[in-house]
Amino acid sequence: MSTDVFTPEERSAVMRRVKSRDTAPELAVRRILRAAGIGYRLGGAGLPGRPDLVMKGRRVAVFVHGCFWHGHDCARGSRKPKANGPYWTAKIDRNRARDETSRAALTAAGWRVITIWECGMKAEGFADRLIADVRDQAATVSASTSSD
């Protein structure tokens, strides 16, 4: 017996609407950077992990992660689905492993990697920190609610 409130057709329609590009957090990050006069390219084709935003001249790759989908350690990211739990746990573990592999490959190739977590975008002063992180010379940056 399924605990899903949707029929299989309805569930399929809901899942089709889950976007992997042009998400609300990604659009917000793009607006912040554009307002600060920082240029970027979309997609990151050809780079490990296909970063959401790429600043080739600065050698900066930006990933905008949803907390649930990438298994962040915040409240939203650490919640476990009740239906089909083993599938989702394995999927999120694969996403985390892929993210770490991509980060390591980009760092080894001389790129600065900035990971923006959905929950971190709600913190006070997020936009200023993001702009500073992009302009900074640190090798790797993670923007979240905790001070790393």
Side-chain angles (χ1 to χ4, degrees):
M1 182 173 145
S2 176
T3 59
D4 200 349
V5 296
F6 295 114
T7 66
E9 295 79 21
E10 291 170 331
R11 173 59 58 203
S12 182
V14 167
M15 294 307 289
R16 270 195 309 273
R17 287 192 301 264
V18 174
K19 301 189 309 182
S20 62
R21 318 177 48 159
D22 299 332
T23 62
E26 185 180 329
L27 292 174
V29 167
R30 287 160 44 182
R31 275 192 300 275
I32 291 166
L33 294 175
R34 201 45 90 186
I38 298 172
Y40 55 83
R41 298 283 178 155
L42 298 177
L47 290 176
R50 295 194 59 202
D52 297 305
L53 306 172
V54 176
M55 292 154 235
K56 194 173 183 181
R58 297 176 190 268
R59 300 216 23 109
V60 173
V62 178
F63 291 94
V64 182
H65 287 335
C67 295
F68 172 77
W69 299 104
H70 293 269
H72 193 224
D73 57 0
C74 68
R76 184 173 189 166
S78 62
R79 71 173 193 213
K80 304 294 179 213
K82 293 179 181 148
N84 207 3
Y87 166 80
W88 286 107
T89 300
K91 176 166 182 50
I92 292 168
D93 288 345
R94 286 191 311 270
N95 289 350
R96 291 180 84 164
R98 183 192 65 227
D99 293 342
E100 187 53 42
T101 301
S102 300
R103 171 186 283 276
L106 284 165
T107 302
W111 286 80
R112 290 186 294 134
V113 178
I114 298 175
T115 301
I116 298 170
W117 292 98
E118 184 179 16
C119 65
M121 295 178 68
K122 298 171 187 162
E124 186 74 28
F126 167 75
D128 294 331
R129 281 194 312 277
L130 172 61
I131 293 165
D133 289 345
V134 167
R135 291 181 175 152
D136 190 23
Q137 295 304 313
T140 302
V141 177
S142 178
S144 68
T145 54
S146 63
S147 43
D148 295 332

